[in-house]
Amino acid sequence: MGADDRPLTGRFRADGAPLSLAEYERAGGYAGLRKALTTMTPEAVVAEVDRANLRGRGGAGFPAGRKWKSIPANAAATRYVIANADEMEPGAFKDRVLMEGDPHQLIEGMAIAAYAVQAQTGYIFLRYEYRQAARALATALAEAQRAGYLGDHVLGSSWSFALHLHVSAGRYICGESSALLNAMEGRRPVPRATLPRATTAGLWGAPTVVNNVETLCNVPHIITRGADWFSALGIGPPSRRGAVDGGTKLYTLSGRVNRPGWCERPMGTPLRVLIEEQGAGMRNGFALRAVQPGGASTGFLGPAHLDVPMDFDSPEQYRSRLGTGTVMVYDDRTCPIGVLHNLQHFFAQESCGWCTPCRDGLPWVEQLLLDLEAGRGRPEDLEILAQHVDALGPGQTFCALAPGAMAPLETGLTLFRDEFERHVREGRCSYLAGKA
Ligand SMILES: Cc1cc2nc3c(=O)[nH]c(=O)nc-3n(C[C@H](O)[C@H](O)[C@H](O)COP(=O)(O)O)c2cc1C
Ligand code: SF4
């Protein structure tokens, strides 16, 4: 693939340092914002992003154009645009790559989004630990301000946009978009009721667009090169809505592969290609047992599923999800019950405690898995775990943290059934004993 096919990362510097403003401009940067401001109405920008079918890269795949369209038309209203850069899901680091490599791309994407919905203020809600990204963004924000891409009368237009960096105090739940709003208002970061939506009453009650970093980074390219170009980049099958998921995807790869890391590939690239080409296959002596294709909160796929296209709809046929495109590869010499315990430990620790099934259920699940791994499990524990999958599933809790936690448990109970039963039968973990 040439740099042209990698709009998000193709112009990255080889030494990994962030692109300066001058480098970004030389590579065509801020042409999208200029085009939007000088040749397009805000409505035309929204329509182009809508036509591109840009689906949110924060995990749920909600179309960005549809979200922007739902901002009420009221010329006098205060509005906000927020980039969700919390990225605390285990294994995920795609947004860090984008912010450290090309911070102006995010700033331009946010400025275009803000122009589209006529927001006057924006915030980048950044994960606490992302110090390097914070430095890159602070420098880029100052450069963009001096050059007139931010601030009063952007590029001489009648529209002004102030963009600020907000560093999170650091909890996974702060990435949930409504908990994020509470966090920004200085409240306890628990999710808000689904209605009213943030696009109607978000930050301090004003219409607010919250989009993921990668989603926003795609926007300048859609405006510069058009919705048709963007759609043609995707290589997966048509989605349930009838159109192919367009664009590229920043996939990250970790676990027992030879070459962990990240790559930008066409949306819909098969899992096998990511593992064999990008990851250079399994490490010597290890066989593939399972993959979480979209991060810690996505269901396990097995070796039979490697040809699944990594777009939004395809993994769902196998009770999994694209999620954030965080591919985690597990081998046959690591205890899968231990893996599940490790995941549930994270989710139990990060539960915000707002609703009972999640607050009380996750620690119980974690304890059952710890006992099962250590050989203290009982046959009935498998049924109790399965009951939790239902009790903490979609619709039972205020937010998607608990259902997300249950996704690997549900698929793990099926995929690793033999391993669960062996642990109970033998009363020990043969992996811990080194005799798997
Ligand atoms: C527990 C939890 C954590 C989340 N963390 C993030 C995150 O770090 N970054 C992100 O973009 N979305 C995160 N999300 C999803 C957001 O709620 C929201 O869907 C997303 O920011 C919308 O952006 P998009 O439409 O561009 O994907 C999280 C959701 C949940 C339930
Ligand atoms: S599901 Fe968990 S994280 Fe989400 S609101 Fe309920 S207690 Fe909080």
Side-chain angles (χ1 to χ4, degrees):
M1 284 177 80
D4 238 27
D5 306 321
R6 289 181 285 115
L8 298 175
T9 61
R11 54 192 172 193
F12 274 21
R13 287 171 58 124
D15 65 2
L19 252 70
S20 67
L21 176 61
E23 289 167 327
Y24 185 67
E25 286 175 324
R26 268 202 302 281
Y30 288 109
L33 178 61
R34 198 176 292 279
K35 178 176 174 186
L37 282 178
T38 55
T39 68
M40 298 170 83
T41 60
E43 295 76 20
V45 175
V46 175
E48 193 67 9
V49 171
D50 194 34
R51 203 164 68 79
N53 186 30
L54 168 62
R55 298 183 68 179
R57 299 329 196 212
F62 191 81
R66 209 179 331 150
K67 189 182 288 186
W68 299 4
K69 268 200 296 198
S70 65
I71 290 273
N74 172 358
T78 300
R79 291 139 198 213
Y80 297 100
V81 166
I82 299 177
N84 190 343
D86 196 49
E87 197 165 67
M88 271 194 68
E89 181 129 315
F93 59 96
K94 68 184 181 67
D95 297 338
R96 175 166 71 79
V97 168
L98 290 169
M99 292 183 290
E100 289 180 1
D102 198 351
H104 282 287
Q105 181 171 241
L106 173 61
I107 293 171
E108 185 181 3
M110 290 191 73
I112 298 172
Y115 171 69
V117 301
Q118 289 292 285
Q120 309 82 358
T121 311
Y123 295 95
I124 301 168
F125 187 92
L126 185 68
R127 176 178 172 166
Y128 177 77
E129 289 84 357
Y130 279 6
R131 305 289 165 85
Q132 199 172 321
R135 282 192 295 275
L137 286 165
T139 304
L141 284 168
E143 286 177 325
Q145 179 88 24
R146 277 197 300 274
Y149 296 120
L150 296 175
D152 290 342
H153 303 292
V154 175
L155 293 175
S157 71
S158 58
W159 170 72
S160 300
F161 180 53
L163 181 55
H164 309 279
L165 185 60
H166 177 101
V167 177
S168 170
R171 297 310 298 206
Y172 175 52
I173 191 62
C174 294
E176 197 282 333
S177 58
S178 64
L180 180 155
L181 299 176
N182 279 340
M184 288 204 59
E185 291 182 9
R187 298 169 193 270
R188 178 177 165 188
V190 293
R192 295 179 176 180
T194 319
L195 293 173
R197 298 202 185 284
T199 45
T200 308
L203 193 61
W204 292 295
T208 303
V209 163
V210 182
N211 270 132
N212 172 257
V213 167
E214 186 185 355
T215 313
L216 290 160
C217 286
N218 275 293
V219 171
H221 305 286
I222 292 172
I223 297 307
T224 313
R225 304 166 85 164
D228 294 333
W229 162 84
F230 183 81
S231 303
L233 287 173
I235 59 170
S239 73
R240 280 193 299 271
R241 293 182 179 85
V244 169
D245 286 341
T248 58
K249 179 80 194 78
L250 201 59
Y251 298 103
T252 57
L253 201 62
S254 61
R256 205 69 84 178
V257 288
N258 280 310
R259 197 170 51 211
W262 60 267
C263 62
E264 182 182 0
R265 296 255 177 171
M267 177 64 89
T269 298
L271 202 46
R272 186 186 300 282
V273 172
L274 297 175
I275 294 172
E276 289 178 3
E277 289 183 17
Q278 188 60 35
M282 294 298 289
R283 257 190 252 170
N284 238 350
F286 293 93
L288 186 144
R289 186 203 303 272
V291 182
Q292 279 185 292
S297 59
T298 60
F300 289 100
L301 298 176
H305 302 131
L306 292 189
D307 292 314
V308 65
M310 286 285 284
D311 54 22
F312 282 101
D313 288 359
S314 302
E316 290 185 5
Q317 293 165 32
Y318 308 101
R319 304 199 66 72
S320 193
R321 288 187 305 118
L322 171 69
T324 49
T326 299
V327 180
M328 303 202 281
V329 181
Y330 301 98
D331 64 81
D332 62 340
R333 286 163 54 183
T334 305
C335 177
I337 320 297
V339 167
L340 276 169
H341 170 257
N342 194 16
L343 292 168
Q344 299 305 325
H345 172 68
F346 170 80
F347 290 118
Q349 177 179 289
E350 294 299 327
S351 166
C352 79
W354 199 233
C355 49
T356 309
C358 175
R359 181 187 59 237
D360 292 350
L362 286 177
W364 196 9
V365 166
E366 183 194 351
Q367 184 62 46
L368 287 169
L369 289 166
L370 183 67
D371 287 345
L372 279 158
E373 188 195 5
R376 296 188 298 267
R378 306 158 305 168
E380 59 268 35
D381 289 344
L382 302 192
E383 181 50 34
I384 299 174
L385 286 173
Q387 285 166 2
H388 277 79
V389 169
D390 291 335
L392 277 71
Q396 308 293 334
T397 56
F398 284 135
C399 88
L401 186 146
M406 291 302 99
L409 181 61
E410 182 190 14
T411 44
L413 280 170
T414 308
L415 203 60
F416 311 138
R417 190 80 195 177
D418 292 353
E419 292 292 335
F420 273 106
E421 287 171 354
R422 186 150 71 108
H423 278 68
V424 174
R425 199 172 52 246
E426 296 183 0
R428 65 180 191 130
C429 175
S430 48
Y431 297 89
L432 288 177
K435 295 177 191 155

